Amino acid sequence: MRLRFNPIFYSQINKFFNDLERNKINYKITSGLRTYHQQKKLYLNNPKDVAYPGTSFHESGRAVDLANIKIDRKFFQKPVFMAFLSKHISIQSIFISMIDTIKIILE
């Protein structure tokens, strides 16, 4: 079975990445699509912070994690970041976790 991003999510996140690049904002995708077996391995290594296999948005092609974004910290203050992100993805459809990565999910 070939893994693919959800088409709606892919379209929205692609526009977001293009806007990051136009604004010279560096980013690194740390996680995207995962198989059930990849999710299971992650879960077994870290069950507190990783979704149970079969329930992850990464498995359904509706999540991406970003890291290494090198810009002013004010960008990550929620209202500013959400305004930037909402140009591409409706605020109702995302969850952002900014502990050490940014997780963008289409629910």
Side-chain angles (χ1 to χ4, degrees), residues 8-52:
I8 295 168
F9 180 74
Y10 182 80
S11 173
Q12 292 173 339
I13 203 71
N14 209 23
K15 291 175 187 172
F16 175 66
F17 291 149
N18 287 336
D19 204 17
L20 288 176
E21 291 168 9
R22 268 193 301 281
N23 286 282
K24 300 192 184 331
I25 298 169
N26 297 318
Y27 65 92
K28 178 180 178 182
I29 299 172
T30 58
S31 186
L33 295 170
R34 295 183 195 148
T35 65
Y36 175 89
H37 297 293
Q38 290 168 324
Q39 187 68 28
K40 183 177 179 180
K41 184 177 178 181
L42 288 171
Y43 178 79
L44 291 174
N45 288 329
N46 192 3
K48 288 184 182 180
D49 297 322
V50 177
Y52 189 78

Side-chain angles (χ1 to χ4, degrees), residues 55-73:
T55 66
S56 172
F57 287 100
H58 288 277
E59 292 172 83
S60 62
R62 296 180 295 152
V64 65
D65 298 344
L66 308 177
N68 297 341
I69 296 181
K70 311 252 188 250
I71 57 172
D72 189 326
R73 283 211 172 274

Side-chain angles (χ1 to χ4, degrees), residues 2 6 46 95 98-100:
R2 185 173 171 199
N6 171 286
N46 192 3
F95 166 76
M98 298 191 311
I99 297 168
D100 57 355

